[in-house]
Amino acid sequence: MSGCFTLLGRDPASRARRGVLHTEHGDIQTPVFMPVGTRGSVKAVSPLELEELGAEIILGNTYHLFLRPGSELIAEAGGLHRFAGWDHPILTDSGGFQVFSLANLRKVERDGVRFASHIDGTRFFLGPRESMKIQRDLGSDIVMAFDECTPFPATMEQAAKSVALTTRWETMSREQELSPHQLRFGIVQGSVYPELRERSAREITSLDFDGYAIGGVSVGEPEPEQFKAVEAAEPFLPEDKPRYLMGVGTPRQIVEDVARGVDMFDCVLPTRLGRHGGAFVGNGDTLPVKAGRYARDFSPLDENCDCYACRHFTRAYIRHLMNVGEILGVRLLTLHNLHYYLNLAKRIREALDNGTFAEFRAGFQA
Amino acid sequence: MSGCFTLLGRDPASRARRGVLHTEHGDIQTPVFMPVGTRGSVKAVSPLELEELGAEIILGNTYHLFLRPGSELIAEAGGLHRFAGWDHPILTDSGGFQVFSLANLRKVERDGVRFASHIDGTRFFLGPRESMKIQRDLGSDIVMAFDECTPFPATMEQAAKSVALTTRWETMSREQELSPHQLRFGIVQGSVYPELRERSAREITSLDFDGYAIGGVSVGEPEPEQFKAVEAAEPFLPEDKPRYLMGVGTPRQIVEDVARGVDMFDCVLPTRLGRHGGAFVGNGDTLPVKAGRYARDFSPLDENCDCYACRHFTRAYIRHLMNVGEILGVRLLTLHNLHYYLNLAKRIREALDNGTFAEFRAGFQA
């Protein structure tokens, strides 16, 4: 399949782009932020709330769904959309990242990875063939190729080996059959080495995927290295295909990576921070609402926010809920933070549409 | 204050009544089920969802709110309605029941109970004066008198002593100043002894409260004893005042106690069972959705239910959510169960309005 992406415009002062990604379950305005629904649920929020927040696409994690409830069960349910009650686009990762970060007893073999489940130690094998089969069962709109996520730090030799293995596995990924509606994205590796990022980008784009991700970031590297990785790979990605920066990032990083030509983002920060009592406010600052100084603060999390939490509840109330362990506290903080991220992407798109992205970017950093 | 209750009709075949309870924050159609919001939040649901479910009144627990965040903080926030974002009626209990069931190192004194907080051991004193002061700070629409909840089992001598102490404490409760809008309910004790229930009812009603509760039930007694306690007290409660059976009960108990002349109910069962994976279906049966037999059951929790959970999600999905610990699972089961209880009360009211309560009661037990 081709032609899934329409480039609507470019920012004259940066590499930023404005576009639309077309999928069978609907169009996605880019730049876009994609909430993470690891196990078939974006933690603490309902599909109805996600719609009301304006989320256009969510993520599912192949590794987690493969282990529980199992991809065959989800296929039997009619696919992940029907199983999870989400009738809009879904992107699934390949499972590779989680195998490397969560599973036990990993052993990298020629055609994939042998590993033991982090839940009960059951042994499995996951490679490009298995990952594509699972993602076909899940029925996601965007399927990610199976790569090897290079850990940080890695020597140049290790990173080069990882790039080669990634190209091999993604070539195999490219050959597997998917459902006709499914788009398939390749992933560029290369760690912090610009020449490897370029090599990987050239090799992966030669496989002609529907879109391209930059992987191996948000794995512990300093922020400047993340920007450098994007800058090194981006010039070698085709302009007429969407670009996705995996697992990124803070609000400021998202703005900066948009300026470097990225269209798509996913990150667990808004949901994870919400569960731990943090609220995103202003230009990406975080407000630790459990702190004692908010005990009698009867203002909303953010005076300028119009989310459900900010329209109806105070810092003092949300602090109380978090301190006594009420689920509603986590719900309100998660809603607020997702609203923050989705609204950030919306503001970025508006700035691009209005030709004011340079000011937006400068103002956001001030 | 008087005249807070309008009796709309009586069932010819039982003691069941249909009425309206008037409060400053709105009218409440009775018989009514009141969801429990112990710490200023009905567990796992939002005020918006409660409104959508048709809840007309919720409970708050004086003991819990007194300890955290403190009733003075809530007064500073403008009262519990504003603090919790709930602009409809609220009933608060007196704190007595929780002091007896949760607190440590209780010592009953003449004017109340000395106890240590179950959270951090801090020592407090709670009696009729303190309870009324706290509930005035909370600003609830219905204030419960401070009683001694007789434990089960209790000898007749113990129960008689408890009735006497309850009358003494409620007399003191009656004398404390509240806000003009607040209604004040007395509580009848007497354990499983009909003559003590009658004595308590006579003594408490002589104090002329705005409504009357039957307390000391749902404390471990067999179900027939609960029905007997209601039957023993009810004839001595004035017809023109609302009757509230505290902490009851299962769906079947609610139907049976409506038939015995009760107007108001509260119970943690729908929310608590939801958090543990149980769904109310049919005539009060519970479906243990975490069970393996529902793994591939792609039907809703209840085919005949039109709640959000049943309209959009399957047993298999909710089972998955509960088994991996996703908050959405608890949310969906709690929504479903609250819908079940609120809808049960609605069906009871409709049956009373239509003169079909006898059939409804019979059908419900079949």
Side-chain angles (χ1 to χ4, degrees), chain B residues 23 49 55 59 61 77 110 124 162 164 200 206 226 242 261 334 346 364:
Chain B
T23 78
E49 287 166 337
L59 252 70
N61 281 118
R110 192 175 150 78
F124 295 101
S162 184
S200 184
S206 76
Q226 180 200 108
T334 303
K346 190 174 160 220
F364 203 84

Side-chain angles (χ1 to χ4, degrees), chain A residues 72-143:
Chain A
E72 284 172 17
L73 187 151
I74 292 177
E76 205 179 313
L80 185 54
H81 295 84
R82 284 190 62 182
F83 185 62
W86 176 253
D87 197 27
H88 308 285
I90 297 178
L91 180 150
T92 46
D93 66 2
S94 68
F97 180 78
Q98 271 79 22
V99 167
F100 285 99
S101 61
L102 290 177
N104 301 313
L105 305 170
R106 289 178 303 279
K107 185 161 173 266
V108 177
E109 299 184 3
R110 193 176 151 77
D111 290 347
V113 188
R114 207 164 288 284
F115 67 96
S117 152
H118 73 288
I119 300 161
D120 61 6
T122 311
R123 294 182 179 232
F124 297 100
F125 183 83
L126 190 67
R129 288 190 195 92
E130 294 74 18
S131 175
M132 294 305 109
K133 166 72 172 67
I134 296 167
Q135 292 183 74
R136 192 172 60 193
D137 279 350
L138 298 176
S140 48
D141 299 277
I142 301 176
V143 166

Side-chain angles (χ1 to χ4, degrees), chain A residues 280-355:
Chain A
F280 282 98
V281 295
N283 284 352
D285 304 324
T286 56
L287 184 138
V289 77
K290 291 196 279 189
R293 62 181 176 278
Y294 302 117
R296 286 160 194 275
D297 185 338
F298 301 114
S299 60
L301 293 173
D302 186 340
E303 290 284 1
N304 301 313
C305 178
D306 63 351
C307 81
Y308 175 66
C310 289
R311 277 184 287 118
H312 294 279
F313 307 97
T314 62
R315 294 172 176 183
Y317 180 62
I318 295 172
R319 174 180 186 272
H320 162 65
L321 294 176
M322 293 302 290
N323 282 345
V324 300
E326 285 288 346
I327 287 176
L328 184 60
V330 168
R331 288 185 55 187
L332 294 176
L333 285 167
T334 303
L335 274 182
H336 170 82
N337 286 345
L338 284 175
H339 176 271
Y340 183 95
Y341 267 71
L342 292 162
N343 193 49
L344 173 65
K346 189 173 162 221
R347 287 160 67 205
I348 290 171
R349 292 193 300 270
E350 286 169 356
L352 290 169
D353 287 338
N354 300 332

Side-chain angles (χ1 to χ4, degrees), chain A residues 38-49 52 64-65 68-69 72-74 76-77 82-86 275 295-296 298 308 312-314 316-321 323-328 330-332, chain B residues 38-49 52 64-65 68-69 72-74 76-77 82-86 275 295-296 298 308 312-314 316-321 323-328 330-332:
Chain A
T38 301
R39 302 181 293 196
S41 166
V42 176
K43 284 188 201 305
V45 300
S46 70
L48 179 64
E49 286 166 337
E52 288 170 350
H64 290 91
L65 293 168
R68 292 188 299 190
E72 284 172 17
L73 187 151
I74 292 177
E76 205 179 313
R82 284 190 62 182
F83 185 62
W86 176 253
R275 291 199 302 287
R296 286 160 194 275
F298 301 114
Y308 175 66
H312 294 279
F313 307 97
T314 62
Y317 180 62
I318 295 172
R319 174 180 186 272
H320 162 65
L321 294 176
N323 282 345
V324 300
E326 285 288 346
I327 287 176
L328 184 60
V330 168
R331 288 185 55 187
L332 294 176
Chain B
T38 300
R39 302 182 292 196
S41 166
V42 177
K43 285 190 201 302
V45 300
S46 70
L48 179 64
E49 287 166 337
E52 289 169 349
H64 290 91
L65 293 168
R68 294 188 298 191
E72 284 172 16
L73 187 151
I74 292 177
E76 206 179 313
R82 285 190 59 182
F83 185 62
W86 176 253
R275 291 199 303 285
R296 287 159 194 274
F298 301 115
Y308 175 66
H312 294 279
F313 307 97
T314 62
Y317 180 62
I318 295 172
R319 174 180 187 271
H320 162 66
L321 293 177
N323 281 346
V324 300
E326 285 287 346
I327 287 176
L328 184 59
V330 169
R331 287 185 57 187
L332 294 176

